[in-house]
Amino acid sequence: MKIGIDAISYYVPNHYLPIEALAEARNIEYAKLNKGLGLTSMSFPDIDEDAASMGANAVLDLFQRETLNPSDVGRIYLGTESALDSAKPTATYILDLVEKELATDFGPRSLKNVDAVDMTFACIGAVDALENACLYLKQNPDKKAIIVASDLAKYHLGSTGEYTQGAGAVALLISKNPAIISLGSEIGVATKGERDFFKPRRTHTKSSVLMQAAELLGIQLNEEEAKNKLRDAKGFWGGNTMIRSYVEEPVFDGQYSNTAYVGRIKEALEDFQSKVNLNPALDWDRVVMHLPYAFQGRRMLVNFYLDWMKRDGRWDEVVEAVGCEQPKDKEGSKNWVKTFSKSDYYKAYVNKALAPAERASGLIGNMYTASIFMGLLSTLCDAAEKGKDIEGTCIGFMGYGSGSKAKVFQGHVQNGWSKVAHLNLFDRLDQRTPVDFSTYENWHNECLTIPILPKKNAFVLEGLRTVENQEFFRDYKRQ
Amino acid sequence: MKIGIDAISYYVPNHYLPIEALAEARNIEYAKLNKGLGLTSMSFPDIDEDAASMGANAVLDLFQRETLNPSDVGRIYLGTESALDSAKPTATYILDLVEKELATDFGPRSLKNVDAVDMTFACIGAVDALENACLYLKQNPDKKAIIVASDLAKYHLGSTGEYTQGAGAVALLISKNPAIISLGSEIGVATKGERDFFKPRRTHTKSSVLMQAAELLGIQLNEEEAKNKLRDAKGFWGGNTMIRSYVEEPVFDGQYSNTAYVGRIKEALEDFQSKVNLNPALDWDRVVMHLPYAFQGRRMLVNFYLDWMKRDGRWDEVVEAVGCEQPKDKEGSKNWVKTFSKSDYYKAYVNKALAPAERASGLIGNMYTASIFMGLLSTLCDAAEKGKDIEGTCIGFMGYGSGSKAKVFQGHVQNGWSKVAHLNLFDRLDQRTPVDFSTYENWHNECLTIPILPKKNAFVLEGLRTVENQEFFRDYKRQ
């Protein structure tokens, strides 16, 4: 029985910042970001958009496009690292919104017996949801499962992460006899505890924060005095002695993270290849992987590709492409690899296997959990746009989550794949509204008081409650 | 092929607060908490204990007791609502700690190909992990999977949640031909978006918090002045205009939550009974359910039990137990149910089916995700202690997570169940160290600077890093 991806939907905010504007403001050469990293525009959520609203928009679109019967759906599993609550899963906000919208056609509580949950592992949580959906389908072949990836990638202003920011959601319908991708049941996995990227709670003593406040106000205050002032404080300053603050921007080390990404993929590939006899260079027509920025794949895969060619007995082709044998010394070898990476030979591989997935990434930015699935959608839409027949081709998938874990698996394109053309992905991305740099910066600093786009024709956050026992509960509405 | 629970381990902090001390301090009649709710002592984490350390202790114990070969383990899935990070799963802290401890016997990276992830849905996330572990085992029968539930339940001082607090972790080994419980593959599920209990990020403008600080310091400051002071602020006060703070204490509405719990269980039971022909009163020898406090089950199940007896044609027994027919009027009917709940007949049911699970709950408190599994362990250890042979008996499981979702399933006790006796659960709980009320209160307010118990013979939190790009990363050690 074939199991895999039967339909895909997505939601991306309808405004964007041109990377050129960011490059100018940050005094970075645009070519470095555009030609070097593949970045053209950056998606970021409006002030009334978040992981729940974006996820709900993608899921509702899936229900509507596929005219799904809610009683056929057994699961809505969300992968995210932008969850809105530590206890109540963001998936329940999504389920609730979609269910209310379905009430017109299916009555209330049409998703009553649907299992929903959040899965968290940085950018790979939705791949975990996908794997578990497939296992669920094997035991429940007459059901369908929805997995959603929804995230926003926000980095500190001026940091090296800033130009990789992005946001959006992708929803996949998983079923038997899938129209789009039949997924193989073997998965390679590798895990190692790492600190390459994380979003901690930041712990501060209230007294130290009050001392900083006093300094801002031009007052001398020592620790003991601060503690005394706090003794009978109420509101924000009351309760226990610590503040745990959360900022969306991660603690990260880009170079370290890249090394962890390479290390885990190497190990997960080894695990996969111990189960499935394949040579990725030969057997994978397309490679869809986690893209923190558009050209991550083509940059990172050079060494993997060389390794694959060596193992496959095609080293001669590589040597011919460079024009000489690989030198033995470290520096010479490194330069030789660089030459290969710029060769027409490798470029041809990139254009065939990787570039189709990069297109959407360059127009949206890092979607965290949704990046790999947007890469798949981009690959399919690129083929549809160019009139290529890709039925039967094999796609290799490589997911990565900081912290750290990689998963490697593959799937074959099925005969209904071209229905994704109806999503008009590239046209719709082209039609988004550009915003100027100061609007972007005001959004980043959370200074905006009215939404960038006032009318979205979508689910949006209405506000946070203030009544007792409901404080900070999130209300959404459909505009 | 039988799939289910092959081994169980747990970790509970080695100190506790006697509920009597809490009752006295809060001016609550002790009998109300003890006889009324079943509470005797309350577990809470030491300042060097958290969801990661407690989970790692339970998992390491599982490896050691079962002399597990790491290469047989395919998964370590964590259910928690006390996760320590929004991106890096707490499961990776657990995997890393256990892997380092296993290095002596198995070398480094012995868990390299283990899949780890966090699942979040309030108190039911670990049940979700269990369900998915069973699906995984069906496709990978020669592997084993570990699921961990690790949490701390902390409520505001003086709130109605305070006396239900608890903390700890339970780890389950899932395998084919399980020694303890063979789980049925049918699961009843019901989900509805609710706001009964959640742990939101609390959003404040920095200017409003600075204005409150000024008030504490005896200074008049209006909003515009506050904004001006913040313009070039650094450190905590720098960056964007909002503070998102996180406190462990949830926003909750106890009465609402109870109604949601009853509603979801009712629906999940209906779903389960549409798949499995059973009468819970007759067919479930024991009932293991989520216990926010020890007597939640016996209080909540009265109406369910009456319904089951009616459906099973055993209403005569109920009428005989009360001594008269149920009156038609609302008030009379309510009193009649109350009388039944105090009858020897219902008490006999409680003692047989529910009380075994309540024992540990009354000694620990609410363990959130781990509550249902501690209830199972308590049930088994109670039988072992009393020399009962429970092989072949059927246990009904009812999990609940606020937000909201319930799952209902069942399992049969296998012939190796009595090995849990080696855990010495009740003896070890008896041997814990009591702490006085002021120590507890200082812990709650985060005023303790040295651990309550200095030497734990366990994994403990060593501290949070302060170096750049690693801020707030958590380091643990084994004491």
Side-chain angles (χ1 to χ4, degrees), chain A residues 48 102 129 136 169 221 259 326 403 407:
Chain A
D48 55 3
L102 295 174
Y136 169 76
L221 192 76
T259 308
Q326 187 169 19
K407 282 186 175 175

XYZ file of all heavy atoms in Angstrom, chain A residues 48 102 129 136 169 221 259 326 403 407:
75
model
N -0.985 40.938 13.348
C -2.121 40.079 13.679
C -1.966 38.676 13.078
O -2.938 37.953 12.886
C -3.453 40.728 13.259
C -3.482 41.102 11.780
O -2.489 40.812 11.077
O -4.484 41.701 11.343
N -15.742 25.320 9.279
C -16.382 24.176 8.606
C -17.833 23.986 9.043
O -18.573 23.208 8.439
C -15.607 22.882 8.916
C -14.169 22.775 8.383
C -13.515 21.495 8.904
C -14.161 22.780 6.849
N 6.291 14.857 12.695
C 4.839 14.712 12.562
C 4.502 13.898 11.311
O 3.628 13.031 11.340
C 4.180 16.091 12.498
N 0.681 6.075 11.382
C -0.748 6.064 11.710
C -1.564 5.568 10.517
O -2.470 4.742 10.659
C -1.175 7.476 12.106
C -2.662 7.704 12.218
C -3.379 7.238 13.320
C -3.350 8.394 11.224
C -4.748 7.450 13.426
C -4.717 8.621 11.322
C -5.407 8.146 12.422
O -6.760 8.358 12.520
N 3.429 29.053 6.669
C 2.978 27.720 7.065
C 2.727 26.860 5.837
O 2.374 27.369 4.772
C 1.688 27.832 7.883
N 20.709 52.828 43.120
C 19.958 51.820 43.879
C 20.840 50.594 44.014
O 21.255 50.016 42.997
C 18.672 51.462 43.120
C 17.613 50.651 43.851
C 16.838 51.539 44.842
C 16.628 50.036 42.848
N 27.986 23.236 11.125
C 28.752 22.015 11.382
C 27.846 20.902 11.922
O 27.960 19.739 11.534
C 29.877 22.307 12.401
O 30.621 23.431 11.927
C 30.792 21.114 12.584
N 42.484 15.982 -7.433
C 42.404 16.739 -6.168
C 43.761 16.706 -5.459
O 44.287 15.622 -5.205
C 41.341 16.110 -5.277
C 41.061 16.909 -4.005
C 39.827 16.413 -3.258
O 39.380 15.279 -3.482
N 39.290 17.233 -2.386
N 19.847 21.348 17.659
C 19.639 20.843 19.013
C 20.141 19.469 19.394
O 20.340 19.245 20.561
N 16.912 13.825 9.669
C 16.214 12.655 9.133
C 16.350 12.653 7.620
O 16.241 13.709 6.979
C 14.730 12.659 9.533
C 14.499 12.204 10.965
C 13.034 12.068 11.334
C 12.928 11.492 12.744
N 11.539 11.431 13.234
